[in-house]
Amino acid sequence: MKKVILILLSFMFFGFGNAQQQFDTVAYKSTYKNLFEKTAFGDSLTTENKIAGLSRAWAEAKYNFANFDLVPQVNWDSIYHAYIPRVLATKNKEEYYKVLVEFYKPLNDGHTLIVAPRELWDEMYATLPIKTKLLDGKVVITRLKSTEEVYKLLQPRTVIHKINGQPVKQYTERHIAPSINSSTPHDLNARLYSFFFTRGKLSEPVILELETPEGKLFTHSFPRKKMDQLLPATNDYSYKKLDESTSLLTINTFMQPDVIKLYDSIFKAPHPKNLIIDLRENGGGNGNNGFELIGYLTSEPFPMSKQIMRRYKPVQRAWGGEPDVLEIGEYDWMPYQKNIFTGRVIVLAGPDTYSAAEDFLSSFKHIKRGTIIGQTTGGSTGQPLTFPLPFGGLGVVCAKRDVQPDWTEFVGVGIHPDVEVQPTLSAFIAGIDETLETALNILKQ
């Protein structure tokens, strides 16, 4: 009997013969990778799915959000607990997603948000085809993005006084602001009054009280249009001569790689004496497309934003240590172009200047290559992490913090211009671009 017990003990501690399994690093990493890629949501609005979606959104932010230090008042676990009865009380998918959208608002981050499933876009994201701006406390149309006859009254320089019988600010604060994520107060204003304040159901028209540039008041009803993409489309980019000595390069997005071809064509041609770069409506994209442009303005290596990244080590919690290790990424961009522009440079910026466009300004400001004119930028950049939610929805969490090369914060603050210009409603209605005029006057000095 003793011999049998010894044999069994040897099997327990040493395995069967020489067949003991070795640790498999590939399988171990694959297991944890699959934990983040697999989803377990069903198609029905069950109690289980409601809780699962809220819990996924909570957990992804808890372990990946890069900017909790900017919202020290937030107790994320308490907010999660408070939202459990709210999601359980929802009666349909639209109500459910409106609650999830509001769940992320306390994080105060423009790169951290909840996106409803496409099946709900006609219920939540339909809008009028206009671009607007808040000037002197009033909302004015800056661009009509449709040639359809039904929208012909929505001409630029027309002021919007009321929406569905309510003053614009009252309407947006009540109906739109709860669904908009932003990083700064001026970022919130830009989002509310630039793109999103006519959002709503496709089936419900928008009744606007309008004032023409000539002062005529009238009320008219307009149908909303479908949204076919998450963010409003832009006019991309353009280049034109303003006079014999100055050219204007307008870049409304760094998303399109074809912008590099435009750079090549501009800087291979005879250079103007002065260059104005307009980024006032640039919402971001690929930061490298911005750095490529700086590479035409200097031949010297220049630093990009410092990247602050969290690395979570759970064993440190077991040991009583600090589970978050910070990694600092510091990189220089190495220009490689032969045709370097050596003339004067001015960049126009404002609250709609965002994300990768702010990364561009961060480096541009650091190398002191030119002057930034306009208003403080939106104050939001980083690396969005996306994850699935029930019924085809999407969660987005900012997983990386950026600061300027000299460690100056701009996330949650914005990048301040060298010369501030606050545009006025009267000048805009008169057809005067005060920011651009300021730039031209500086170039004459």
Side-chain angles (χ1 to χ4, degrees), residues 65 67 105 107-113 181-183 380 398 411:
F65 185 51
N67 300 321
K105 272 195 68 66
L107 297 177
N108 289 353
D109 188 81
H111 281 72
T112 301
L113 64 154
N181 295 66
S182 60
S183 295
S380 183
C398 183
V411 172

Side-chain angles (χ1 to χ4, degrees), residues 161-196:
H161 291 295
K162 291 184 179 180
I163 302 180
N164 295 344
Q166 300 178 50
V168 170
K169 284 193 174 182
Q170 178 182 322
Y171 177 87
T172 54
E173 288 173 5
R174 180 177 300 175
H175 299 285
I176 308 300
S179 65
I180 303 299
N181 295 66
S182 60
S183 295
T184 60
H186 52 279
D187 175 24
L188 177 60
N189 273 341
R191 288 176 176 236
L192 281 178
Y193 300 111
S194 292
F195 297 109
F196 301 130

Side-chain angles (χ1 to χ4, degrees), residues 306-327:
K306 285 183 168 60
Q307 302 177 9
I308 301 172
M309 297 161 285
R310 296 168 50 201
R311 181 181 291 274
Y312 178 62
K313 299 183 72 172
V315 71
Q316 286 292 342
R317 292 182 64 190
W319 291 338
E322 295 294 334
D324 272 321
V325 177
L326 290 185
E327 293 184 0

Side-chain angles (χ1 to χ4, degrees), residues 428-441:
F428 180 79
I429 290 179
I432 300 171
D433 186 336
E434 293 166 288
T435 306
L436 180 58
E437 290 296 321
T438 301
L440 290 171
N441 289 333

Side-chain angles (χ1 to χ4, degrees), residues 152-168:
K152 68 178 182 179
L153 296 177
L154 298 174
Q155 292 300 317
R157 300 187 293 153
T158 299
V159 175
I160 302 173
H161 291 295
K162 291 184 179 180
I163 302 180
N164 295 344
Q166 300 178 50
V168 170

Side-chain angles (χ1 to χ4, degrees), residues 107-137:
L107 297 177
N108 289 353
D109 188 81
H111 281 72
T112 301
L113 64 154
I114 302 293
V115 182
R118 276 192 174 267
E119 68 178 89
L120 297 177
W121 283 22
D122 286 355
E123 299 298 311
M124 297 174 65
Y125 297 157
T127 187
L128 296 184
I130 55 175
K131 175 77 163 51
T132 54
K133 183 179 292 187
L134 185 68
L135 294 175
D136 295 335

Side-chain angles (χ1 to χ4, degrees), residues 190-398:
R191 288 176 176 236
L192 281 178
Y193 300 111
S194 292
F195 297 109
F196 301 130
F197 78 105
T198 62
R199 267 187 176 183
K201 294 180 181 295
L202 183 66
S203 59
E204 296 178 357
V206 184
I207 302 172
L208 300 180
E209 182 181 293
L210 302 166
E211 181 180 352
T212 67
E214 295 76 30
K216 179 183 177 182
L217 290 170
F218 66 98
T219 299
H220 195 81
S221 177
F222 301 91
R224 290 187 172 100
K225 288 180 69 71
K226 285 176 173 284
M227 282 281 289
D228 59 1
Q229 58 185 43
L230 179 58
L231 295 176
T234 70
N235 286 346
D236 298 336
Y237 38 80
S238 63
Y239 179 74
K240 65 179 180 180
K241 279 190 175 183
L242 298 179
D243 54 44
E244 288 303 315
S245 61
T246 304
S247 291
L248 174 66
L249 172 60
T250 301
I251 308 174
N252 291 331
T253 178
F254 281 132
M255 186 67 70
Q256 305 297 335
D258 284 350
V259 73
I260 305 298
K261 297 178 182 178
L262 178 62
Y263 303 159
D264 292 340
S265 66
I266 291 171
F267 296 108
K268 284 180 181 177
H271 295 166
K273 181 179 178 182
N274 309 310
L275 178 64
I276 299 175
I277 303 171
D278 190 350
L279 301 181
R280 286 177 291 177
E281 295 189 16
N282 191 313
N286 185 336
N288 287 349
N289 292 333
F291 299 135
E292 286 279 359
L293 177 56
I294 299 179
Y296 278 102
L297 307 178
T298 179
S299 59
E300 299 297 322
F302 59 88
M304 298 180 280
S305 298
K306 285 183 168 60
Q307 302 177 9
I308 301 172
M309 297 161 285
R310 296 168 50 201
R311 181 181 291 274
Y312 178 62
K313 299 183 72 172
V315 71
Q316 286 292 342
R317 292 182 64 190
W319 291 338
E322 295 294 334
D324 272 321
V325 177
L326 290 185
E327 293 184 0
I328 310 298
E330 300 183 72
Y331 307 99
D332 284 348
W333 186 273
M334 309 298 289
Y336 57 89
Q337 304 296 339
K338 295 179 181 179
N339 300 304
I340 302 299
F341 177 74
T342 58
R344 297 176 69 183
V345 182
I346 288 180
V347 178
L348 311 183
D352 287 330
T353 308
Y354 218 66
S355 194
E358 293 182 279
D359 296 334
F360 169 93
L361 285 180
S362 177
S363 294
F364 180 83
K365 194 177 184 76
H366 182 79
I367 65 175
K368 298 178 171 58
R369 180 60 181 85
T371 305
I372 301 172
I373 297 177
Q375 298 168 274
T376 301
T377 62
S380 183
T381 193
Q383 178 58 56
L385 179 156
T386 60
F387 55 92
L389 288 170
F391 327 121
L394 188 70
V396 184
V397 168
C398 183

Side-chain angles (χ1 to χ4, degrees), residues 405-424:
D406 64 358
W407 291 98
T408 300
E409 291 270 27
F410 68 96
V411 172
V413 180
I415 296 176
H416 303 301
D418 301 310
V419 178
E420 185 173 10
V421 178
Q422 292 291 342
T424 62

